[in-house]
Amino acid sequence: MSLLAVSNLAKRYRRGGKPFAAVDDISFEIGPAETLALAGPSGSGKSTIAKLVLRLIEPDAGRIDFEGGDFLALSGAALRTRRARLQMVFQDPLAAFNPRATVARVLDDPLRIYNIASRAERPRRIAALLERVGLDTSLAARAIHEISGGQRQRVAIARAIATRPSLIVLDEAVSALDVSVRGQILELLLDLQRQERIAYLFISHDLGVIRAVAHRVVILDAGRIAESGDARAVIADPQSAVGKALVAATPKLVRTSQDAS
Amino acid sequence: MTVLLSIRDLVIAYRRDGIEVPALKGVSLEVLAGERLAIIGESGSGKSTLALAVAGLLARGARVGGTIGWLLPASAGAKAPLSVLPDISPSRGEIGNSGAGSLLATSKIGEGGDHSVISPLEGEMSGRTERGAKDRQPSALATSQPRLGRDIGFVFQDPSSSLDPVIPIGKQIAEVARTHLDLTWPDAYTKAKTLLERVHLPNPDATLRAYPHQLSGGQKQRVAIAAAIAAAPKLLIADEATSAIDTIVQAEIVALIRRLVAEDGMTLIFISHDIALATTLADRIAVLRHGELVELGEARQIIEAPRHAYTRALLDAHLGLDAKPLLDRQGASA
Amino acid sequence: MSRLHRFFRTPEAIAGALILALLVAMALAAPLLFPGDPQAIAGPALLPPFQDWSLPLGTDRLGRDVLAELFHGARTSLAVGLAAAAAALLIGAAVGTLAGFASGLLDEVLMRVTDAFQTVPSFLLALAFVSIVGPSLGVVVAAIALSAWTGPARVARAEVLSIRERDYVAGARIIGMHPLEIAFREVLPNALPPVLALSSVIVAAAILTEAALSFLGLGDPNRVTWGGMIAEGRTVLRTAPFLSIVPGVALVLTVLGVYLAGEGVVESTAVRRSLS
């Protein structure tokens, strides 16, 4: 049974007075502990789908089923309760936190809102979360703007897993990171997936990264699905025009065979 | 190949909250005329600081030491310039090595047969000596500092902030041509239109009258490139010029830069965090880390036989379409 | 570097802070140094300054101590200025935040009301209000606040509109934060700094408006005010100019002090922003 099922999702905006479809008749499913990647050029609707799935914006048509229930039917307190199971990590971790926040406060919020731990117990839970994502517990007292980009993204992941979600939307979550940090964050995400059976909706423009971490990929073009399937198979032999263009445009390191070892 | 630009022991530090933060810690390298040099590094490596220093765009209050020596080849006519240093100017703050002797006192001018070239500078100097240099300059060499726009074209990462939102595209490009090529406005507009055709923007006539917000990110970057090359500069610097746009457009922009550099015989300094992207464009690659140059070599040598461990780490971290998927490793160990 | 340290880096900020400190000291010391009614007769009428050292700044037409009046006047100016500015900022921030959050019809209604207030010259509005309701300290404060809240309202609305779209507000929604908590803990604290930056201008304007109302005889008759003192001195401007000059200079210095200190605060926070 699928964890998230999106069917016939549509969202239209007005641009220069004319309506245009940002997302047009999109359907896909994600199973437990599975990573589904959304790829496509800018303007293909990747981020709009993320926002729709998270109910940050409302669709014009379509259906979203999450954990066996109609996710679009929820509102108010019921929606807020359900959100614990569906989290997100943003591209720019600096913009994703209140500029006045400390690391401790960022992690305290979900624990408090969902009554996951009592006030007295929370500092210990925060320390445990920091350790889980490979950060030193002394970081808790630091302001968000004082720590490095890689550390911030780890804090963002710690916040996302604080409520024990079954699905995390990763919106270009590693795109702004240095390559050396990127590898570590991807390893962390895969480790969490294995340990906690978390599914990811992994949004990225980088086919190299998608190929490394995703099970399946959906390639989007102008709000529609161009093709989808097993991530490695699709990237090895894309059928759609946009899929071919994306593969062709990905920078390649031309290394001789001796380096493959 | 002749040397276009010689950077010696370049030290740059910014002052932040009263504390000096080093950005470059003694970088020396030469840029050859006509080559495509990629400078790569991660955040905090100093790659952008190096680009800004070469263009003379460093922020006020930056402390600068070392030298940037220019050897612009004699181009059409009188303006053939020598010269030292762009803007390590005294007005900008303290300059290191100010006790050192003047450039021309120590450098060999006109070495070999080529009188329009001052060859790699010996010794150190500061920007202060330019006036002194003028006096001692052989008459064949008019002194002139390389000017941004005329001698150096600069393309920034974010075209939305490098283009003026309230001035039509055509005027922004024509302005560069008018300023640096002494053209009249109608001639400058004709030139702007030609440039828009050269960067492959559809419908150049309409684009001349368009404002930046009416274009997509990739189109804006094409406009920024058109403006950068309007005065036919000898050197084009692209500072993360393709980082803010998606993969497909990035490939188009890189192809455009490659073609323009080849057609105009420009020298290219291409700043990037992406080693794979750099290898698709560059003849040579310089790898910066924490403000130091860790490796410099032919692009092929850098990717096939990196000498420095850091370069190797960067190559290993690259996730190409032929890389071993992380997922498999996970599966195998689970 | 601490915020205080940064504030005291510019000479303008230091000058402003000194003037304000002096003003506050005067206001606080007034009842101690000059107990009793400052409007009581203390000596002969129209005594020039520096003649009698028990009355260093002389006396006015009715023989009241000018120095005592000056000190007590500082109390009024400061109290009215601060109270009116606080009220204006409070009303403005509340209306602006509400409009920014609500959007749609409520936003439209609130902003048209703001427009209506802004099109009437603020001093005329205050004047009309006081003449209808009658002069007392509370009414003067209300009148000034009524004419000054529109600026903060517009700034607050614009800030809220921009902050509402930031990632961290989306992030707060995703972790299930209640909309009211998002409004008051995530958005409002980050929307306030630019609104507070208006406070120095509003305080300065409030002090001037109060003085102008008093000058026209629409101030609280039971309190000494600098505007009232200037009006008093006006009738004997040729023979005893000091009666108008002394409170006039005090007024100018106060407004200058408020303004400079406000600039210092804005400057010090601006540096912080650009760094982060």
Side-chain angles (χ1 to χ4, degrees):
Chain A
M1 199 197 80
S2 65
L3 177 70
L4 177 82
V6 170
S7 31
N8 310 110
L9 205 60
K11 178 73 184 174
R12 281 177 293 277
Y13 287 116
R14 298 198 145 265
R15 187 195 272 163
K18 279 180 290 184
F20 92 106
V23 170
D24 191 6
D25 195 24
I26 296 282
S27 305
F28 59 82
E29 292 189 358
I30 303 178
E34 186 189 28
T35 300
L36 175 73
L38 296 182
S42 54
S44 60
K46 305 188 294 279
S47 288
T48 309
I49 293 174
K51 286 186 189 137
L52 288 168
V53 166
L54 290 156
R55 298 256 336 247
L56 290 172
I57 52 176
E58 298 300 319
D60 294 324
R63 188 180 164 86
I64 299 173
D65 286 289
F66 178 59
E67 292 189 324
D70 184 352
F71 193 55
L72 292 174
L74 299 174
S75 64
L79 174 62
R80 289 200 295 278
T81 308
R82 181 52 77 188
R83 282 192 191 282
R85 304 285 294 160
L86 177 50
Q87 288 294 306
M88 177 176 187
V89 176
F90 292 85
Q91 171 172 7
D92 176 3
L94 190 57
F97 298 123
N98 188 328
R100 297 160 177 270
T102 60
V103 171
R105 206 199 108 181
V106 158
L107 298 178
D108 188 77
D109 280 341
L111 299 176
R112 172 179 54 83
I113 290 165
Y114 291 104
N115 279 319
I116 290 169
S118 67
R119 180 183 286 269
E121 206 192 322
R122 272 185 241 142
R124 219 171 325 124
R125 294 296 283 267
I126 290 170
L129 281 171
L130 287 173
E131 274 174 4
R132 185 68 191 84
V133 297
L135 289 175
D136 196 289
T137 53
S138 66
L139 232 56
R142 304 272 288 278
I144 282 293
H145 64 83
E146 289 174 344
I147 62 179
S148 74
Q151 289 173 327
R152 249 179 241 138
Q153 204 58 305
R154 283 176 192 268
V155 172
I157 292 169
R159 186 190 212 195
I161 62 170
T163 55
R164 302 198 148 269
S166 58
L167 175 65
I168 300 180
V169 176
L170 303 164
D171 188 1
E172 300 278 7
V174 297
S175 305
L177 301 175
D178 281 331
V179 285
S180 52
V181 180
R182 184 181 71 183
Q184 297 162 11
I185 297 287
L186 290 174
E187 293 279 1
L188 170 65
L189 290 170
L190 290 174
D191 184 47
L192 286 169
Q193 180 165 66
R194 215 176 26 177
Q195 305 279 328
E196 328 264 339
R197 291 188 57 74
I198 301 173
Y200 297 126
L201 181 58
F202 191 99
I203 293 167
S204 178
H205 66 277
D206 187 337
L207 290 187
V209 173
I210 288 174
R211 194 175 161 282
V213 300
H215 299 94
R216 288 188 301 128
V217 65
V218 170
I219 295 183
L220 298 162
D221 188 24
R224 296 181 140 264
I225 293 180
E227 67 181 301
S228 64
D230 175 81
R232 248 164 289 159
V234 167
I235 291 167
D237 184 21
Q239 300 301 312
S240 64
V242 67
K244 286 177 179 153
L246 279 172
V247 169
T250 303
K252 290 158 194 77
L253 269 181
V254 190
R255 299 172 82 174
T256 49
S257 54
Q258 50 154 5
D259 289 288
S261 56
Chain B
M1 263 186 165
T2 53
V3 172
L4 174 74
L5 174 64
S6 173
I7 297 164
R8 285 273 168 274
D9 302 316
L10 191 63
V11 175
I12 294 172
Y14 296 111
R15 194 167 272 286
R16 194 168 291 163
D17 257 3
I19 302 159
E20 207 160 76
V21 186
L24 285 179
K25 304 170 185 164
V27 169
S28 299
L29 71 98
E30 281 173 353
V31 181
L32 306 175
E35 79 165 332
R36 295 175 302 195
L37 173 71
I39 296 173
I40 63 164
E42 298 188 299
S43 50
S45 64
K47 57 188 190 298
S48 283
T49 299
L50 184 56
L52 295 174
V54 168
L57 282 172
L58 282 177
R60 260 163 207 287
R63 193 177 64 82
V64 180
T67 64
I68 300 176
W70 287 89
L71 306 132
L72 293 176
S75 57
K79 277 187 179 163
L82 107 83
S83 162
V84 187
L85 62 69
D87 227 348
I88 311 181
S89 65
S91 60
R92 291 231 172 159
E94 316 140 53
I95 290 166
N97 307 323
S98 52
S102 107
L103 160 72
L104 295 171
T106 51
S107 69
K108 294 166 192 155
I109 300 167
E111 202 176 39
D114 190 348
H115 275 269
S116 64
V117 170
I118 297 174
S119 85
L121 314 171
E122 292 177 4
E124 297 168 324
M125 65 153 305
S126 77
R128 255 175 239 281
T129 48
E130 206 220 352
R131 201 168 295 118
K134 206 178 243 172
D135 301 334
R136 277 172 264 177
Q137 190 64 27
S139 55
L141 296 169
T143 57
S144 143
Q145 211 161 283
R147 269 166 64 192
L148 193 60
R150 189 191 62 194
D151 304 307
I152 305 173
F154 201 104
V155 184
F156 293 89
Q157 173 172 355
D158 181 5
S160 314
S161 55
S162 63
L163 296 174
D164 192 321
V166 296
I167 298 176
I169 299 295
K171 190 172 181 194
Q172 299 197 43
I173 300 172
E175 184 117 51
V176 181
R178 206 182 70 95
T179 308
H180 296 295
L181 302 176
D182 294 326
L183 298 180
T184 60
W185 273 115
D187 288 348
Y189 270 103
T190 312
K191 173 92 183 163
K193 192 182 158 193
T194 319
L195 286 162
L196 288 180
E197 281 161 3
R198 285 196 67 195
V199 298
H200 286 193
L201 275 166
N203 202 351
D205 283 307
T207 310
L208 279 177
R209 289 186 302 271
Y211 289 89
H213 74 267
Q214 293 169 304
L215 303 181
S216 71
Q219 290 173 328
K220 272 185 268 192
Q221 199 58 294
R222 286 171 191 270
V223 170
I225 290 170
I229 63 165
K234 284 281 165 281
L235 174 64
L236 182 66
I237 302 176
D239 184 5
E240 295 274 15
T242 64
S243 302
I245 43 194
D246 75 48
T247 322
I248 294 178
V249 183
Q250 165 173 289
E252 292 168 6
I253 297 285
V254 165
L256 173 69
I257 291 175
R258 184 191 290 121
R259 184 168 56 76
L260 292 172
V261 165
E263 284 174 3
D264 290 6
M266 283 186 283
T267 306
L268 174 70
I269 297 181
F270 185 81
I271 314 281
S272 179
H273 65 279
D274 187 336
I275 194 165
L277 186 64
T279 59
T280 65
L281 189 59
D283 304 315
R284 289 200 303 157
I285 295 178
V287 183
L288 287 187
R289 186 195 195 188
H290 302 325
E292 285 167 12
L293 181 69
V294 299
E295 186 162 358
L296 170 66
E298 298 290 319
R300 175 172 290 276
Q301 174 256 308
I302 293 278
I303 55 168
E304 286 180 1
R307 288 192 205 96
H308 197 281
Y310 178 67
T311 313
R312 219 167 298 133
L314 278 183
L315 288 166
D316 289 343
H318 175 73
L319 291 170
L321 297 187
D322 53 350
K324 225 184 274 176
L326 297 171
L327 213 52
D328 270 0
R329 256 184 272 163
Q330 294 290 327
S333 62
Chain C
M1 215 189 306
S2 77
R3 192 175 193 151
L4 214 62
H5 190 148
R6 207 172 269 126
F7 173 76
F8 283 113
R9 216 164 36 176
T10 59
E12 295 94 322
I14 295 170
L18 282 178
I19 295 173
L20 279 191
L22 187 72
L23 192 73
V24 171
M26 278 171 72
L28 291 177
L32 304 173
L33 292 177
F34 305 98
D37 187 359
Q39 287 180 312
I41 289 164
L46 291 175
L47 180 71
F50 314 123
Q51 302 285 313
D52 178 348
W53 288 111
S54 66
L55 299 165
L57 287 181
T59 59
D60 69 2
R61 225 152 39 103
L62 298 173
R64 298 180 291 208
D65 182 355
V66 172
L67 190 63
E69 284 190 292
L70 197 66
F71 270 63
H72 282 269
R75 262 173 110 73
T76 316
S77 283
L78 212 60
V80 171
L82 291 180
L89 287 171
L90 216 64
I91 300 169
V95 171
T97 307
L98 206 60
F101 263 111
S103 62
L105 190 65
L106 184 60
D107 178 27
E108 202 60 31
V109 170
L110 287 173
M111 289 331 283
R112 293 301 79 79
V113 172
T114 310
D115 285 345
F117 271 91
Q118 233 167 1
T119 46
V120 183
S122 58
F123 185 67
L124 284 186
L125 194 68
L127 201 66
F129 188 75
V130 176
S131 7
I132 294 166
V133 185
S136 77
L137 207 59
V139 173
V140 171
V141 167
I144 296 171
L146 211 58
S147 61
W149 64 274
T150 51
R154 282 192 183 286
V155 174
R157 175 173 174 274
E159 281 294 308
V160 168
L161 280 181
S162 117
I163 290 173
R164 224 172 53 153
E165 301 302 321
R166 307 262 169 96
D167 278 355
Y168 69 86
V169 174
R173 285 174 67 190
I174 287 166
I175 59 158
M177 199 179 274
H178 194 276
L180 282 177
E181 190 184 349
I182 294 178
F184 287 101
R185 247 183 100 215
E186 303 288 314
V187 177
L188 200 59
N190 291 302
L192 276 183
V195 179
L196 292 179
L198 289 175
S199 57
S200 65
V201 178
I202 293 177
V203 171
I207 289 173
L208 284 176
T209 308
E210 187 277 331
L213 287 173
S214 300
F215 181 82
L216 296 176
L218 288 168
D220 188 331
N222 302 316
R223 289 195 168 252
V224 185
T225 66
W226 291 345
M229 288 170 71
I230 297 173
E232 262 294 312
R234 189 176 56 109
T235 50
V236 286
L237 195 59
R238 282 164 189 277
T239 49
F242 70 94
L243 286 179
S244 299
I245 290 172
V246 168
V249 167
L251 202 57
V252 168
L253 280 177
T254 304
V255 170
L256 192 70
V258 169
Y259 188 74
L260 290 178
E263 282 293 288
V265 172
V266 171
E267 198 82 346
S268 63
T269 49
V271 171
R272 274 162 55 93
R273 286 190 154 200
S274 69
L275 275 180
S276 57

